[in-house]
Amino acid sequence: MNTIWSKYVQGTRTLYFSRRLRFDDLFSEQYRRLFDLDVNKELKILEIGCGPGALAGALHRWYPHAEITAVDRDSEFIRFATEHEPEVNFVEGDATALPFENDTFDVTISNTVAEHIEPSKFYSEQVRVLKPDGVCLVLSSRKGININPKCITFNEYEQQFWKKAEQYNDSMNRFAVCKYPMSEAEMPAAMAEYGFSNVSTGFATVDLTPDNPRFSASLALDMINANRYSALDSIESVLHTMPEHFTTQEVEEMKRLANAKYDTRTEQYKRGEKQWDTNVSIIMVIRGIK
């Protein structure tokens, strides 16, 4: 059982609820334009590195005639995804040794995966499992905008906690996180180098601002709580990655403080006290043909 990523790098709740917002149907038109897939065709689509399944679930909604398969090497992600996105076929497996036959899929798609895998291995497996003229879609998060509300500001205790964690944290190197980063120019060049033609690029912009009246109250509260889950998972990961340096009591106090802050933000929203905190994600989509 492999739970390295969900336990030490990014928590299941963090990934699922943040990606469920990022791939909300409000933003589907941008993605579908960039994906340029036939919505009426019975496509076989494979998501590589699916995490807890939010993008796979969106693909099922956006392409109702398609058969969606999703693969990840983290057992906890696959367990969670199977429970929360029952219409998708989730499989535990490695992106560098996909458990599928040659020429199986019409489309492969990945989201924030390419930067963690050596490019020749990442692309060669997709070339192998794609049918002739199959489409490869690579999504990559680029630098966006993140503005927190004032109520989330760290106090002295929290500042010291994270200063200590930064001192001992080696998870980026230990788990090869973002070992193969590429610029906006390098990514399409790599796709072309490793076997794809007609490579194109585009960008989707996802604006998550709870106080913007275009969003329903339920969606706005989901935005606040997605940030809550991210904060809590980050705190919890400290106890997993460096248990010799932190006590359970320290971690529980940090979680209590975080929950109190997000409870405050929730009450501010419900009272109509606008904070204009925002998270704007820019997602690059690189598209190529086998």
Side-chain angles (χ1 to χ4, degrees):
M1 186 173 183
N2 181 346
T3 58
I4 289 174
W5 202 271
S6 59
K7 187 173 183 178
Y8 298 108
V9 182
Q10 289 175 302
T12 304
R13 293 178 305 176
T14 295
L15 279 185
Y16 182 73
F17 291 105
S18 63
R19 289 182 178 181
R20 194 171 68 171
L21 289 167
R22 188 171 294 180
F23 298 112
D24 190 271
D25 291 346
L26 280 173
F27 309 111
S28 63
E29 185 177 343
Q30 294 185 75
Y31 290 115
R32 286 186 292 181
R33 175 177 55 81
L34 294 169
F35 295 170
D36 193 20
L37 304 175
D38 187 344
V39 70
N40 296 311
K41 191 173 180 180
E42 295 181 355
L43 298 169
K44 294 187 69 175
I45 300 176
L46 172 67
E47 185 191 357
I48 298 168
C50 64
L55 173 55
L59 292 170
H60 172 71
R61 297 192 306 273
W62 300 345
Y63 301 99
H65 301 290
E67 176 187 319
I68 313 296
T69 302
V71 62
D72 200 286
R73 66 179 181 177
D74 191 291
S75 308
E76 173 57 20
F77 286 160
I78 295 299
R79 183 204 65 77
F80 184 97
T82 301
E83 180 179 326
H84 287 77
E85 302 292 347
E87 302 300 326
V88 176
N89 176 34
F90 290 99
V91 178
E92 190 170 337
D94 194 321
T96 64
L98 294 169
F100 307 106
E101 298 294 328
N102 296 352
D103 304 332
T104 298
F105 295 97
D106 301 290
V107 181
T108 57
I109 184 170
S110 61
N111 175 49
T112 64
V113 176
E115 57 265 42
H116 308 301
I117 302 175
E118 197 281 318
S120 65
K121 295 179 181 178
F122 176 70
Y123 283 111
S124 64
E125 274 297 273
Q126 294 185 67
V127 170
R128 182 181 68 78
V129 300
L130 276 169
K131 299 175 183 178
D133 297 320
V135 175
C136 174
L137 297 168
V138 172
L139 281 60
S140 176
S141 293
R142 301 286 100 183
K143 184 175 176 58
I145 300 170
N146 186 47
I147 306 296
N148 287 322
K150 290 182 180 179
C151 66
I152 305 300
T153 304
F154 290 156
N155 64 21
E156 182 65 23
Y157 182 89
E158 292 167 307
Q159 290 177 17
Q160 291 303 315
F161 180 94
W162 288 117
K163 184 177 181 181
K164 181 180 175 182
E166 184 179 356
Q167 180 181 352
Y168 296 110
N169 185 16
D170 66 346
S171 58
M172 294 286 283
N173 291 328
R174 197 193 322 177
F175 304 116
V177 177
C178 204
K179 188 176 180 180
Y180 304 96
M182 292 188 187
S183 70
E184 290 81 0
E186 291 169 332
M187 293 197 71
M191 182 180 280
E193 178 182 355
Y194 293 108
F196 292 92
S197 61
N198 298 323
V199 175
S200 61
T201 64
F203 296 85
T205 302
V206 176
D207 168 12
L208 300 175
T209 306
D211 291 327
N212 190 327
R214 71 179 287 228
F215 298 119
S216 67
S218 62
L219 191 57
L221 292 172
D222 283 347
M223 295 176 197
I224 295 169
N225 281 319
N227 289 329
R228 181 199 298 266
Y229 297 141
S230 178
L232 293 174
D233 282 348
S234 294
I235 295 165
E236 190 71 31
S237 72
V238 168
L239 200 57
H240 295 313
T241 56
M242 50 194 95
E244 67 275 20
H245 300 295
F246 291 90
T247 65
T248 301
Q249 291 74 21
E250 286 177 295
V251 169
E252 289 303 313
E253 175 61 10
M254 284 291 292
K255 289 163 68 174
R256 184 191 70 78
L257 291 168
N259 272 317
K261 291 173 187 288
Y262 284 100
D263 286 346
T264 297
R265 179 64 187 100
T266 298
E267 290 306 312
Q268 288 172 332
Y269 175 80
K270 290 180 177 179
R271 292 193 300 264
E273 299 174 7
K274 293 186 181 295
Q275 306 300 306
W276 294 112
D277 46 316
T278 188
N279 184 281
V280 180
S281 299
I282 299 175
I283 299 96
M284 184 177 186
V285 178
I286 305 99
R287 185 184 191 277
I289 305 295
K290 174 178 171 179

